[in-house]
Amino acid sequence: MPIAPAVSVSLDLLRFALAVIVAIVHLTQRYFQNAWPDLTSVGIVAVGGFFVLSGYTIRSFSPSVAEFDARRFFIDRATRLLSVTLLALVATLALDTYSSTVAPAWYNHNWGAQADHPVLRIAANVLLLNQVWSLDVSPLSNSPFWSLCYEAGFYAIWGALLFCRRTGRTLLIPIAVALLYGPNVIVMLPFWLTGVLIHDRFVTPPSRRGAIVALLVSLMAALAIAASYKRMSPALNRGLDAIFLPIGCPHHVQATLIGGCLLFVCVLVALFAALALAGPRLHPGARLVAFARKLGDATFPLYLLHFPLLVAIGATRQGQPLSTAGKLIVLVVLIALAFAVVPLGHRLKNAMRALAKRDATTAPVRGVAGADDVIR
């Protein structure tokens, strides 16, 4: 079922906003400045939003069980992730080499512990296995890569589940895939699946009364989560300890990430309820749809490229903190570079898909046109 233009625009704007939030949050870290408060926890909340939105997006263009093609699904997912991931890893190697050469003391003090065994680190991130079980393998300074292992795990489990339903195979296959990625991914999977459920609930617009109830309940729930988070956080951490300590596996999942997922579930429900209430009165023009699509396409490059660029800028300045004006200029530069990388990512993705599919005819993708991945 084709998605409404108003929904498509909303999702594109939302995911771009989340990526900008992550970039701003990293700009506030003490590596780069000391005037603004460190907002790292806000960035983790934004990543929780990406996870929920990812479930919605993948479900929006997943074919019916009878039409599911496992080979096509996994080729599309892998090429979408790798098209920007490979570019970002190459850029990270180049930028970190520059940073460690220009400001070795500053770089080694902050990221030296993440620079050992670079070949193994890059390999783990190319394979998107950098967070399985107890691993926490950052590709040099580029710490935002941690979330990609979760995304890859969600896609693999979802694809395995649809494959089993399509072929009648045992559900032990998706369970085995989940166990491969480990408890960190498994703990976050329900929030990703909540995005799937939100899609299925709103694929047919609710009645006006139902939309009003959903809007009010979701807004009240969001306020309750925001107000009670400080009291809720210790309980969440104790719950995570109870899950992970008995199996001897460190938990990389944080209470802040879970809180972000819960908050964003409310935000997404409120958004779709509001869109349902607006109904046919919303008619975004073709230019707005195209503009929002461009913003959405820049999300993944912005998310994956901004941090090593920040490190390189910091190294050029020998670790001197940025001023407020400097931070704003850097943010504009980061966004501009993300837009510049988009065409290269598209070309690489199309080349990999053509190679993998041996130039087979590609059927039209359903759902959010051009939004076949959420972190982009």
Side-chain angles (χ1 to χ4, degrees), residues 102-155:
V102 171
W106 180 76
Y107 179 89
N108 290 328
H109 174 72
N110 292 303
W111 297 283
Q114 298 169 214
D116 62 330
H117 307 296
V119 174
L120 293 178
R121 287 180 175 275
I122 296 300
N125 283 273
V126 168
L127 297 173
L128 302 175
L129 297 174
N130 50 308
Q131 290 277 319
V132 298
W133 284 86
S134 61
L135 289 183
D136 184 12
V137 182
S138 170
L140 308 181
S141 69
N142 203 344
S143 54
F145 258 79
W146 70 267
S147 65
L148 294 190
C149 180
Y150 288 80
E151 287 289 333
F154 300 152
Y155 299 164

Side-chain angles (χ1 to χ4, degrees), residues 104-271:
W106 180 76
Y107 179 89
N108 290 328
H109 174 72
N110 292 303
W111 297 283
Q114 298 169 214
D116 62 330
H117 307 296
V119 174
L120 293 178
R121 287 180 175 275
I122 296 300
N125 283 273
V126 168
L127 297 173
L128 302 175
L129 297 174
N130 50 308
Q131 290 277 319
V132 298
W133 284 86
S134 61
L135 289 183
D136 184 12
V137 182
S138 170
L140 308 181
S141 69
N142 203 344
S143 54
F145 258 79
W146 70 267
S147 65
L148 294 190
C149 180
Y150 288 80
E151 287 289 333
F154 300 152
Y155 299 164
I157 296 166
W158 177 251
L161 179 61
L162 293 184
F163 170 75
C164 291
R165 293 183 63 192
R166 169 71 177 82
T167 61
R169 305 288 180 88
T170 174
L171 291 179
L172 290 176
I173 295 176
I175 293 174
V177 173
L179 289 175
L180 167 67
Y181 282 92
N184 285 285
V185 172
I186 292 172
V187 164
M188 297 309 300
L189 181 62
F191 301 105
W192 191 88
L193 291 174
T194 301
V196 173
L197 295 176
I198 291 173
H199 172 274
D200 289 348
R201 176 62 185 86
F202 285 94
V203 67
T204 300
S207 65
R208 182 172 181 81
R209 179 180 179 182
I212 292 173
V213 171
L215 179 61
L216 294 177
V217 170
S218 60
L219 290 177
M220 288 189 293
L223 290 173
I225 292 169
S228 63
Y229 172 73
K230 288 186 177 180
R231 296 191 301 274
M232 181 174 61
S233 182
L236 287 174
N237 282 322
R238 287 193 296 271
L240 290 170
D241 288 340
I243 294 171
F244 285 89
L245 290 180
I247 59 177
C249 178
H251 63 81
H252 309 310
V253 173
Q254 303 176 29
T256 306
L257 181 61
I258 293 177
C261 289
L262 293 172
L263 183 63
F264 202 82
V265 166
C266 301
V267 170
L268 209 56
V269 170
L271 171 64

Side-chain angles (χ1 to χ4, degrees), residues 290-372:
F291 175 71
R293 182 62 34 74
K294 289 180 179 180
L295 292 179
D297 286 342
T299 301
F300 200 13
L302 177 59
Y303 182 84
L304 287 186
L305 287 168
H306 75 274
F307 201 87
L309 285 165
L310 287 176
V311 173
I313 292 170
T316 302
R317 297 173 53 84
Q318 296 295 312
Q320 291 299 311
L322 289 164
S323 65
T324 295
K327 289 192 284 288
L328 296 176
I329 292 171
V330 166
L331 180 62
V332 171
V333 170
L334 293 176
I335 294 173
L337 289 173
F339 278 99
V341 169
V342 169
L344 182 57
H346 283 331
R347 286 196 292 270
L348 182 57
K349 177 188 68 177
N350 293 334
M352 288 191 294
R353 287 183 179 177
L355 179 63
K357 298 176 181 179
R358 298 178 183 177
D359 297 321
T361 302
T362 303
V365 175
R366 299 182 175 184
V368 185
D372 55 9

